[in-house]
Every structure is written in structure tokens, then in C-alpha cells.
Amino acid sequence: GLGKETCRALASKGARVILAARNADKLKEVAAEISESTGNSQLSVLVIDLGNFASIRKAAGEALETAPALDILINNAGVMACPLERTSEGHEMQFGTNHIGHFLFTCLLVPALKASGNARVVNLSSGGHKFSAVNLDDWNFETGEYDKWQSYGRSKTANALFAVALDK
């Protein structure tokens, strides 16, 4: 996917890269493949489930230990157009994973981003923000009828708004 190829591109230029994903076995396999294809052995892995606050906090702690200064954070992972599901904290899955998970992870990594002196945060998105604004009255689909595309749109709009606010 896009995350894998982004990591490959960075590694091919000699960057130290931390790959993050939910599945530890797949993650190690991808890291080994990228290391072999680029000749870059400066790859490490970080297991994270963006739908689980405990996992996010653990991963952020490990990331801060591994890299006390981060030059770039690329928030890429996400889910799209899934049936109504909830994260472990009870948030609607798409908004919880695509926005809240990245938001929390990024906020926890602020010390390392500041330590680099000139860090960048990239919140990868799509044209999905055109599907829906963020409905602050029912962002979690607790009263309104669930629509998978509206939900996805809300999460992508929130990504864009977060990027703008973080830049300020």
C-alpha cells in the first residue's frame, strides 16, 4: 500500500524509518523486504492499533525511546467505508481510527517533533472530506443513522482540520 511505498522511498534515500502497523508479523515482513530492496538497515517496527488508546500510548512511548527527535511523522493508516463498528473506547471506528487515533499519537509525539527543530507532520487524506463536514452534535453516530461514507468523510474532514490547526 501507500504506507509501504512511502517507507520504501524514504529508506531508499538513507532515512532512518520507523514502520508502524497493527499486525506485528506483517510489519516485520515488510520491514525486511524494504531493508533488502533498499540496502537500508535503519528500519525499526512499531506495533500500534489506532483504535485502542492503550496501544497508541504504548507505541508512542516506544517511539519516543527509539527516536527522541523526529523529523517527520506521516499519519497514513486508516479504515474506509466499513459497517458501523466501535473502537475499544466506544468511538465510531472510522472517526476513532482515522482521526482520534492519529490525533492522540501525534500529540504524544510532540516532544520528539519539537526536539528535531524543524519537524513536519503529514496527515494523509483523500477527497473523502467532500462527503461530509464534521457533525459536532453527533460525530460518534449515537443518535443519527449511520452512513459509512458520511462517517469516512467526517474522519477525513477532521484530518484536514487537524493539519491546519497543528500548522498554526
Side-chain angles (χ1 to χ4, degrees):
L2 192 54
K4 177 180 175 180
E5 295 311 316
T6 300
C7 290
R8 183 186 315 279
L10 292 168
S12 74
K13 300 300 180 192
R16 182 173 175 220
V17 180
I18 302 171
L19 293 84
R22 283 183 308 236
N23 185 309
D25 292 335
K26 276 185 171 178
L27 191 56
K28 290 174 188 172
E29 183 180 309
V30 167
E33 177 191 321
I34 291 172
S35 182
E36 184 178 323
S37 70
T38 63
N40 184 338
S41 61
Q42 298 183 88
L43 280 79
S44 56
V45 297
L46 188 66
V47 176
I48 184 171
D49 178 350
L50 289 166
N52 180 288
F53 286 180
S55 175
I56 295 166
R57 290 180 192 287
K58 181 176 187 267
E62 291 173 8
L64 291 169
E65 285 180 25
T66 302
L70 289 171
D71 295 317
I72 187 167
L73 171 62
I74 302 173
N75 291 320
N76 173 58
V79 294
M80 183 175 83
C82 59
L84 179 59
E85 296 177 53
R86 303 275 176 198
T87 67
S88 58
E89 280 76 26
H91 301 120
E92 185 277 319
M93 185 63 73
Q94 293 184 94
F95 198 84
T97 301
N98 298 351
H99 172 61
I100 297 172
H102 284 132
F103 177 87
L104 177 58
F105 189 59
T106 301
C107 289
L108 293 170
L109 294 180
V110 164
L113 295 165
K114 284 185 174 180
S116 83
N118 195 25
R120 294 183 185 264
V121 175
V122 176
N123 289 325
L124 206 69
S125 191
S126 69
H129 66 280
K130 297 175 186 174
F131 300 156
S132 179
V134 177
N135 178 347
L136 295 176
D137 293 326
D138 190 26
W139 62 270
N140 205 31
F141 285 95
E142 292 174 345
T143 58
E145 185 177 339
Y146 179 75
D147 178 275
K148 63 185 179 184
W149 290 109
Q150 256 196 346
S151 171
Y152 178 71
R154 290 176 185 186
S155 73
K156 296 291 106 181
T157 299
N159 289 156
L161 293 172
F162 175 46
V164 170
L166 187 61
D167 185 50
K168 287 183 179 183

